[in-house]
Amino acid sequence: MLRSKIVSTGMYVPPQIIKNDDLAKMMDTSDEWIRQRTGIEQRHWAADDTSTSDLAYEAALVALKNANMDKSEIDMLIVATLSPDHEFPGTACFLQKKLGVPGIPALDVRQQCTGFIYAMSIADQFIRTGMYQKILVVGAELQSKGLEKNDQGRDVAVLFGDGAGAVVMCATEVKDVKTDSHVLSTHLYADGTFAEELWVAAPGSGNSSDRIGTKEIEDKLHFPQMNGKTVFLNAVKRMPEALQAAFKQNELSIEDIDLFIFHQANLRINDMIAKQFNIPEHKVFNTIQKFANTTAATIPIGLDEAVRAGKLKKGMLVASAAFGSGFTWGSAVYRF
Ligand code: ACO
């Protein structure tokens, strides 16, 4: 049976660490408020001369090295990001230029916090059909340049960090579904009814002036606007639903899963999901404390951190779920 599997992971975060106390110097917030409401202790912010594809490039090099693979072997690039280098072309094309791998398809996924699950699913489908064999899948975000770092923007600014994670996914012939490494399933969902509950409105053709004009800037439409409570309530409903769908399809129960690597939006969201399913604490791997919400990068960063921490080993069954802007949500179950 032809399936895809993750053969390696990699990650990169820029060196500058911003602690909660550093944010308290820029806006009316506190370490206590941020930790209590989100679990975040610090995040990394990139330097001014850095772009999202630079972060993606560094993570990609690590994943390629860990796969013992030359970049020329890759036959497709997928980059999930909500913070692209430029409006167009996609960040995957800038990554392609930096990697020096012209000719292969380069695809951007704009599914925000669920971007990596969507990207993994797309890679899985291309591999299952036999069209491609070795796909580099990257989640990368440079959020810090797009945050309103003052009192008005504090509800969003404290949540996000910069970073990138990458995996190499390859074709594999699965003989024993119970032991062989492979992606068992992906489940993808969206509900655009909630598109304006978490969004960046400008620039864009939906605006009345030149995609972004004085009015849009005065109204701060180029910064993220979020209805935090609606996001929270939907996340704790939709992520469990996506997991249930995966368990049902694969005839699995919670006990069968060795490790849960969820999207990192808020530690309270993940704690509530773990409680709902009775998942023991040691089976949930969180990284939000160190990196905050790196949106499309949280899951591949979690995978790489878990490998390096010795928590994720070959043959383990992993479940991931994510929820974010769109609203979009989804799950993936894979034997590592
Ligand atoms: N520091 C200090 N006080 C703050 C801050 C801050 N950074 N932000 C808001 N506050 C204040 C508010 O003004 C409010 O004050 P008031 O009571 O005087 O009006 C008070 O804190 C409580 O605010 P709430 O919004 O009620 O706080 P809540 O408990 O809902 O927590 C939070 C807010 C953390 C944003 C929560 O709603 C949440 O995590 N939501 C989910 C967000 C999320 O996951 N977003 C990312 C999805 S990612 C993606 O797709 C891009």
Side-chain angles (χ1 to χ4, degrees):
M1 177 171 77
L2 179 62
R3 288 289 181 264
S4 74
K5 68 172 177 181
I6 294 175
V7 298
S8 71
T9 64
M11 67 168 279
Y12 176 78
V13 286
Q16 186 185 199
I17 293 174
I18 306 289
K19 300 262 188 200
N20 292 341
D21 282 336
D22 298 321
L23 291 183
K25 291 176 197 142
M26 302 173 208
M27 60 194 82
D28 182 14
T29 191
S30 66
D31 179 49
E32 192 194 359
W33 192 97
I34 300 169
R35 276 180 201 247
Q36 247 176 30
R37 307 279 171 138
T38 70
I40 298 166
E41 295 166 18
Q42 60 174 53
R43 72 285 295 136
H44 290 244
W45 280 3
D48 273 356
D49 61 354
T50 307
S51 62
T52 302
S53 64
D54 291 326
L55 306 180
Y57 174 71
E58 297 296 339
L61 289 187
V62 179
L64 285 166
K65 186 165 176 265
N66 289 341
N68 280 324
M69 200 176 275
D70 188 79
K71 58 191 182 180
S72 61
E73 292 177 57
I74 294 294
D75 45 25
M76 184 183 195
L77 284 179
I78 306 179
V79 175
T81 187
L82 65 62
S83 49
D85 286 17
H86 299 285
E87 275 282 286
F88 70 85
T91 304
C93 289
F94 290 102
L95 173 62
Q96 182 173 40
K97 182 179 168 191
K98 283 171 187 162
L99 282 172
V101 288
I104 61 171
L107 175 71
D108 268 40
V109 171
R110 298 289 304 269
Q111 256 54 37
Q112 304 69 250
C113 291
T114 321
F116 188 76
I117 301 266
Y118 267 73
M120 232 184 118
S121 180
I122 292 166
D124 182 50
Q125 307 312 311
F126 273 119
I127 289 172
R128 280 183 190 224
T129 58
M131 188 153 173
Y132 299 115
Q133 282 74 45
K134 293 174 182 173
I135 304 183
L136 180 62
V137 184
V138 187
E141 301 290 356
L142 203 160
Q143 311 269 17
S144 56
K145 287 187 193 179
L147 299 174
E148 189 183 3
K149 301 178 191 97
N150 56 34
D151 292 356
Q152 288 74 46
R154 66 177 181 174
D155 58 330
V156 174
V158 301
L159 301 176
F160 293 99
D162 302 340
V167 300
V168 174
M169 289 177 66
C170 287
T172 185
E173 194 53 42
V174 174
K175 294 191 183 76
D176 185 344
V177 289
K178 290 215 172 345
T179 57
D180 292 355
S181 299
H182 70 291
V183 175
L184 279 70
S185 69
T186 54
H187 286 79
L188 306 179
Y189 307 91
D191 184 353
T193 318
F194 295 92
E196 289 156 19
E197 297 294 331
L198 174 53
W199 67 322
V200 177
S205 61
N207 300 312
S208 53
S209 63
D210 311 331
R211 293 167 53 75
I212 184 158
T214 320
K215 182 164 179 353
E216 280 77 18
I217 292 185
E218 273 170 12
D219 291 346
K220 299 185 174 175
L221 298 187
H222 56 304
F223 290 127
Q225 320 287 321
M226 176 181 76
N227 181 344
K229 283 196 169 56
T230 306
V231 174
F232 196 103
L233 291 173
N234 279 275
V236 295
K237 178 168 175 267
R238 297 307 199 177
M239 283 165 68
E241 282 174 7
L243 285 171
Q244 293 283 20
F247 294 152
K248 191 169 175 216
Q249 179 176 320
N250 299 300
E251 298 178 352
L252 294 170
S253 63
I254 292 290
E255 294 73 46
D256 296 315
I257 306 295
D258 298 306
L259 198 62
F260 291 84
I261 299 194
F262 296 135
H263 171 54
Q264 305 287 303
N266 186 321
L267 202 54
R268 289 193 301 159
I269 293 177
N270 292 358
D271 286 348
M272 279 177 80
I273 296 168
K275 207 168 160 198
Q276 207 172 317
F277 282 115
N278 268 327
I279 306 171
E281 209 176 302
H282 72 273
K283 281 195 176 185
V284 183
F285 191 77
N286 288 312
T287 55
I288 191 166
Q289 300 89 333
K290 284 204 289 188
F291 305 118
N293 181 351
T294 56
T295 309
T298 60
I299 291 174
I301 283 178
L303 286 168
D304 193 62
E305 283 270 303
V307 168
R308 283 181 296 107
K311 285 260 189 183
L312 175 55
K313 299 198 173 76
K314 207 170 152 38
M316 285 172 78
L317 194 59
V318 184
S320 289
F323 178 88
S325 157
F327 288 153
T328 56
W329 64 100
S331 66
V333 173
Y334 40 106
R335 193 168 293 284
F336 193 68

